[in-house]
Amino acid sequence: MAARRSRIRGVGSHVPERVVTNEELTQWMDTSDEWIRQRSGIETRHWVDGATSTSDLALEASHRALRAAGIEAGDLDMIVLGTLSPDHDFPGTACYLQAKLGVPGIAAIDVRQQCTGFLYALSIADQFIRSGHSQRILVVGAEVHSKSMDISTEGRDISVLFGDGAGAVILEGCDLRDPATDPHILSTHLHADGNFAEALCMKAPQTAVEGPRITHEMIDAKEHYPQMNGKLVFLHASKRMPESVHEACEANEIEVGEVDLFLFHQANLRINQQVAKQLGVDDSKVFNTVQRFGNTTAATIPLGMHEAIKAGVLKPGMLVMLSAFGSGFTWGSALLRY
Ligand code: ACO
């Protein structure tokens, strides 16, 4: 009997129109195009205008993924959405997206695993399909960072790195007949180490204090903005991402060299160059988008996937490795045949 697996049937993405250059950032903070390019590779990022929310960006990316898959929102039986910048603390952003898609009744799950959010969401969706629970799942990564960053000089180490955007894939059940050629998710590998939670976090609102979750004092102390130990994040990302790639290769008994394309999380070009070097992978096999979009956290991988398809780089039949690292710390990988 053919094994039940999931495959990617459609991919879509969306970034807001407004492009913010490194030069533009210098009007709010003491920074420079040279510093940002040299340390991160980032040249531009997109920011939303007005009342655009995370679920608005997710909606547009989802419509594009649905169109690419040739199906309607009514054909979905679940939504799994990764974000660290939800529309509201609760309910989950997947619920807002579900309502905007006009499909009340189907399951809607939020995943809060930051830069590894899309990989966690993909893995959850893959398990629901493998088990026979679901047939078509919308998997989304979406972020609006521009509304929650300190764009003064004090916050420049973080705010120059992030952008807004969304990416979505339609994951569909399939009967696997030939694992060597049939498109499918081969495996997913997820990890976390909460001992490093404070190395990259946003402290407020919080319940770990006496009294209300958010106070004027917390805001005055800028605890509602993210804070990061950049060097520690860089160090761990450069180690954990290659580890997770090797883990996926070992689980599927393949060599790293057999992978056709690497879609890494887009935090920093320097991290990805370091990871490729450690893996002995030529830079031409790594598709980076951080230069144009900055770090869009849970959206980087599906956004990159869509850009790679549009650029003709990602083609049917390719063996594709996804890997990410982020706040938590969380990290992981996924191997798929596209
Ligand atoms: N513009 C100009 N100068 C800046 C800026 C800026 N935007 N930000 C910091 N600086 C200054 C610092 O104040 C410091 O000045 P000082 O030497 O006078 O004290 C100097 O530049 C060097 O700062 P460092 O923090 O040592 O710079 P570093 O080389 O570590 O680069 C960076 C910082 C780019 C954040 C790097 O550590 C990094 O990329 N870390 C990875 C973190 C990351 O990518 N996080 C994204 C989210 S997590 C994820 O998605 C994986």
Side-chain angles (χ1 to χ4, degrees):
M1 205 178 84
R4 187 172 169 79
R5 290 288 181 269
S6 73
R7 57 169 282 217
I8 290 179
R9 175 147 169 198
V11 183
S13 67
H14 176 65
V15 289
E17 256 178 50
R18 182 178 169 205
V19 178
V20 178
T21 62
N22 292 342
E23 198 55 44
E24 258 181 280
L25 296 175
T26 63
Q27 67 188 295
W28 301 298
M29 63 184 86
D30 179 13
T31 189
S32 68
D33 179 49
E34 194 197 353
W35 193 98
I36 300 169
R37 276 178 201 251
Q38 199 187 60
R39 308 283 171 130
S40 71
I42 297 167
E43 295 164 21
T44 55
R45 73 284 293 141
H46 291 242
W47 284 4
V48 294
D49 276 318
T52 303
S53 68
T54 298
S55 65
D56 290 331
L57 299 186
L59 179 66
E60 197 51 49
S62 301
H63 278 314
R64 289 176 188 182
L66 286 164
R67 272 202 299 277
I71 64 167
E72 308 281 328
D75 297 321
L76 297 170
D77 42 31
M78 185 181 287
I79 298 170
V80 188
L81 179 144
T83 189
L84 68 69
S85 49
D87 287 17
H88 298 276
D89 258 22
F90 75 89
T93 304
C95 289
Y96 287 97
L97 175 62
Q98 187 227 50
K100 287 175 182 175
L101 282 167
V103 285
I106 66 169
I109 303 174
D110 267 38
V111 173
R112 298 294 299 270
Q113 301 304 348
Q114 304 70 247
C115 299
T116 321
F118 181 78
L119 282 184
Y120 269 76
L122 188 76
S123 182
I124 290 166
D126 181 48
Q127 313 308 324
F128 271 108
I129 288 175
R130 281 183 188 230
S131 71
H133 179 282
S134 307
Q135 172 62 10
R136 286 197 189 106
I137 304 182
L138 170 63
V139 187
V140 192
E143 308 283 357
V144 171
H145 285 309
S146 57
K147 296 185 183 186
S148 61
M149 289 184 311
D150 176 6
I151 58 166
S152 74
T153 296
E154 215 179 321
R156 66 183 177 174
D157 60 326
I158 293 187
S159 54
V160 299
L161 302 174
F162 290 91
D164 303 338
V169 305
I170 307 295
L171 211 63
E172 184 179 73
C174 60
D175 291 326
L176 190 67
R177 295 186 198 286
D178 185 351
T181 55
D182 288 357
H184 68 291
I185 308 279
L186 279 77
S187 63
T188 58
H189 308 270
L190 305 177
H191 298 280
D193 185 349
N195 288 308
F196 293 97
E198 305 230 326
L200 177 48
C201 68
M202 192 172 86
K203 286 206 161 158
Q206 60 168 319
T207 55
V209 285
E210 239 183 272
R213 293 178 66 232
I214 182 87
T215 62
H216 293 290
E217 288 73 23
M218 287 179 198
I219 292 173
D220 290 344
K222 297 195 172 185
E223 288 182 0
H224 60 307
Y225 291 133
Q227 58 190 55
M228 169 177 79
N229 180 338
K231 283 194 166 55
L232 195 68
V233 172
F234 199 110
L235 202 74
H236 281 256
S238 310
K239 183 165 171 266
R240 295 306 197 180
M241 282 166 64
E243 253 176 41
S244 71
V245 167
H246 284 305
E247 184 182 14
C249 287
E250 277 160 30
N252 294 287
E253 296 178 344
I254 64 154
E255 299 295 324
V256 174
E258 292 176 57
V259 175
D260 297 306
L261 187 67
F262 293 83
L263 294 174
F264 295 139
H265 170 54
Q266 302 290 305
N268 185 319
L269 194 60
R270 309 291 162 240
I271 293 177
N272 290 357
Q273 287 167 338
Q274 186 75 23
V275 171
K277 196 170 154 201
Q278 284 182 49
L279 289 169
V281 166
D282 195 80
D283 277 346
S284 62
K285 278 192 169 185
V286 182
F287 190 79
N288 288 310
T289 54
V290 72
Q291 302 94 322
R292 281 188 291 154
F293 304 123
N295 182 351
T296 56
T297 308
T300 63
I301 289 180
L303 176 56
M305 199 179 281
H306 194 212
E307 288 296 316
I309 294 166
K310 288 193 287 183
V313 173
L314 174 52
K315 299 188 196 96
M318 277 186 158
L319 199 53
V320 184
M321 181 71 75
L322 316 179
S323 178
F325 179 91
S327 154
F329 288 153
T330 55
W331 66 97
S333 61
L335 186 64
L336 61 95
R337 190 167 295 284
Y338 178 66

